[in-house]
Amino acid sequence: MAMASQIGLGGLSIGGLAERTGMSKSGLFAHFGSKEDMQLAVMGLTQDRFADRVVRPALKEPRGLPRLRAMLRNWLGWTLGAQMPGGCLLIAASTEFDDQPGPVRDAVAEAQMAWRGTLARAVRQAVEEGQLRPDTDVEQFVFELVGIAMAAHQSSRLLKDRDAAARAVQAFERLVQDHAPARPRRRKE
């Protein structure tokens, strides 16, 4: 995973991994079978770790905005933190494989769709809890939230913006405010 985060999932090779780990190429080939199988295994491991560090801890929070905020906080920690030397492999792979048909692209797309589905459930729960307006376009909300995280990743990793996480949280809170339920008017007495 660490190697793929630095050189890209497509740059992974059994030979490179053998050299980096001090293992034999034949041993790694016997384990993975092919470069594609190795890439798929790395994607699977990355998804598992993402779920362990981002999703599962957030599920301990109350439904709705507290859970959604925890997901964002954990996601930013995963994306901007030091977990992987090259940043978030899931974001990197989504741009690396977006136009490359095949099983690896399919796995990357599945991972992204699963994550967006998780975010959509949390947004729907915030609507159900009355924390977001009933007419909130859940898919649009998720689209904008993903955009916020991707902008934070680029700003932090590429542009070295130390305020990227704070900017992302500010953008998220603005998004929430844009979808906040109307407050009842006070009657004049």
Side-chain angles (χ1 to χ4, degrees):
M1 279 177 51
M3 191 172 161
S5 81
Q6 290 179 302
I7 64 171
L9 202 52
L12 273 184
S13 69
I14 290 179
L17 185 59
E19 185 177 309
R20 185 144 175 191
T21 62
M23 297 176 72
S24 71
K25 285 184 193 179
S26 60
L28 287 171
F29 189 79
H31 179 74
F32 290 113
S34 70
K35 177 179 177 171
E36 185 175 87
D37 288 342
M38 180 177 58
Q39 292 169 324
L40 292 170
V42 169
M43 273 303 298
L45 179 62
T46 302
Q47 285 178 268
D48 290 346
R49 296 260 173 94
F50 183 85
D52 288 344
R53 294 186 180 149
V54 176
V55 180
R56 287 184 188 97
L59 294 177
K60 295 175 184 172
E61 297 295 327
R63 290 169 43 104
L65 288 179
R67 186 173 293 170
L68 197 55
R69 283 188 177 100
M71 285 181 184
L72 176 66
R73 184 177 55 249
N74 297 346
W75 191 11
L76 291 173
W78 166 271
T79 301
L80 307 182
Q83 273 80 2
M84 292 291 112
C88 179
L89 180 58
L90 298 170
I91 290 176
S94 71
T95 57
E96 182 181 5
F97 282 88
D98 59 358
D99 291 323
Q100 297 184 35
V104 177
R105 183 214 178 274
D106 295 345
V108 171
E110 260 181 49
Q112 291 297 326
M113 293 304 293
W115 175 229
R116 287 176 185 231
T118 298
L119 291 170
R121 277 189 298 282
V123 172
R124 277 192 291 280
Q125 289 172 353
V127 170
E128 292 165 5
E129 296 294 322
Q131 299 159 342
L132 296 175
R133 286 193 325 262
D135 66 342
T136 297
D137 181 337
V138 172
E139 296 306 316
Q140 183 65 33
F141 192 104
V142 169
F143 181 88
E144 292 180 39
L145 180 53
V146 170
I148 290 167
M150 291 184 83
H153 184 270
Q154 182 186 61
S155 292
S156 175
R157 307 284 313 174
L158 180 65
L159 305 177
K160 305 299 182 201
D161 180 357
R162 293 179 194 190
D163 297 326
R167 292 180 194 284
V169 169
Q170 183 179 1
F172 172 77
E173 292 303 333
R174 189 173 298 129
L175 180 62
V176 168
Q177 193 59 41
D178 288 348
H179 293 85
R183 292 189 178 142
R185 292 186 191 170
R186 288 185 175 172
R187 285 191 283 173
K188 293 183 182 179
E189 296 185 30

